[in-house]
Amino acid sequence: MHKHQELFDDRRAAGRKLAYVLSDARYDLVLALPRGGVPVAYEVAAALKLPLDVVIVRKIGAPGQPEIGLGAVVDGDPPQVLWTPDLLQIFQPSESYLEAEVQRQLSEITRRRQTYIGNQAPINVSERHILLVDDGIATGGTAKAAARALRQAGAASVTLAVPVAPQSTLDELATEVDDLICLATPEPFIAVGLHYQDFTQTSDDEVISLLQKAHSL
């Protein structure tokens, strides 16, 4: 692994590099996966002069095993719910459990969205060419849920753009999106953070201030 080729100074520097390779393409809207995707997406949106919003994904955990995702709730206008049929088959949770979990995750999405951008409604994605941005991908579960939800909500196209990811995950995601842009696919891939000099956790305050800045551009 040639470290110097794959190291980004920080998320915003990675966003500027992404924007550079995206500069000729036609998109309508940049959507960030918070929190770490926001500084990357901010630089992309600013460079391409596009509106920026967040897309929040919340896992629906199995009864007693919350780390196992039976599905996901993805915010939007309207929010989308996606299920993993084979896991539903295995766990066979009750309808009332699933309904309660969906409502719980929806209220968490609403709470987070209000924290990040106040009462502003999600931007409608129907017929829009979407650029979905994160700070890197390991397993790709969140990105996959977001991409599926955007398609379900009628997006004209979905392009996933990230600074770094393992090739195996990109291969899996290729069928979920119209286009994939990734600057570095180091082997062996251990963790996203290893490819950044500064991978300090993005704070809510930074998310809020970047989204405010993006809205005033």
Side-chain angles (χ1 to χ4, degrees):
M1 183 173 89
H2 302 298
K3 258 201 160 171
H4 64 277
Q5 287 182 342
E6 284 141 9
L7 262 183
F8 303 103
D9 292 343
D10 57 20
R11 290 180 180 85
R12 290 183 70 174
R16 288 191 288 276
K17 286 187 176 177
L18 257 186
Y20 185 73
V21 303
L22 291 163
S23 55
D24 293 327
R26 309 272 10 104
Y27 304 105
D28 302 318
L29 172 63
V30 179
L31 287 180
L33 287 160
R35 288 178 290 192
V38 174
V40 183
Y42 170 80
E43 293 293 341
V44 171
L48 302 185
K49 299 183 169 46
L50 290 172
L52 172 66
D53 198 359
V54 289
V55 57
I56 303 166
V57 178
R58 299 287 300 169
K59 189 160 64 178
I60 297 165
Q65 290 178 278
E67 73 289 348
I68 296 173
L70 300 180
V73 183
V74 182
D75 81 329
D77 175 23
Q80 304 286 324
V81 182
L82 305 124
W83 298 108
T84 309
D86 47 347
L87 288 176
L88 285 177
Q89 197 60 44
I90 294 165
F91 285 91
Q92 302 201 330
S94 67
E95 280 295 315
S96 60
Y97 171 83
L98 292 178
E99 274 171 33
E101 276 303 290
V102 168
Q103 286 312 316
R104 199 162 73 85
Q105 298 308 341
L106 275 174
S107 53
E108 178 59 17
I109 284 172
T110 304
R111 189 188 72 75
R112 287 187 182 215
R113 180 167 271 285
Q114 279 186 329
T115 300
Y116 295 151
I117 30 186
N119 290 325
Q120 198 168 308
I123 297 175
N124 190 314
V125 300
S126 180
E127 304 297 313
R128 311 289 285 273
H129 294 278
I130 309 289
L131 197 51
L132 180 63
V133 178
D134 205 351
D135 55 7
I137 291 175
T139 61
T142 306
K144 183 190 284 189
R148 282 190 179 172
L150 293 169
R151 281 179 177 285
Q152 228 170 253
S157 71
V158 180
T159 297
L160 178 62
V162 292
V164 60
Q167 190 59 51
S168 55
T169 300
L170 294 179
D171 294 343
E172 274 177 46
L173 286 167
T175 55
E176 304 287 343
V177 293
D178 297 279
D179 199 6
L180 258 177
I181 289 139
C182 181
L183 300 178
T185 52
E187 292 292 338
F189 188 93
I190 299 160
V192 170
L194 292 180
H195 306 287
Y196 284 85
Q197 280 169 345
D198 175 4
F199 198 64
T200 317
Q201 192 175 18
T202 306
S203 67
D204 280 350
D205 288 346
E206 188 181 354
V207 169
I208 294 159
S209 93
L210 287 175
L211 289 170
Q212 281 173 348
K213 248 167 114 171
H215 287 140
S216 61
L217 285 176

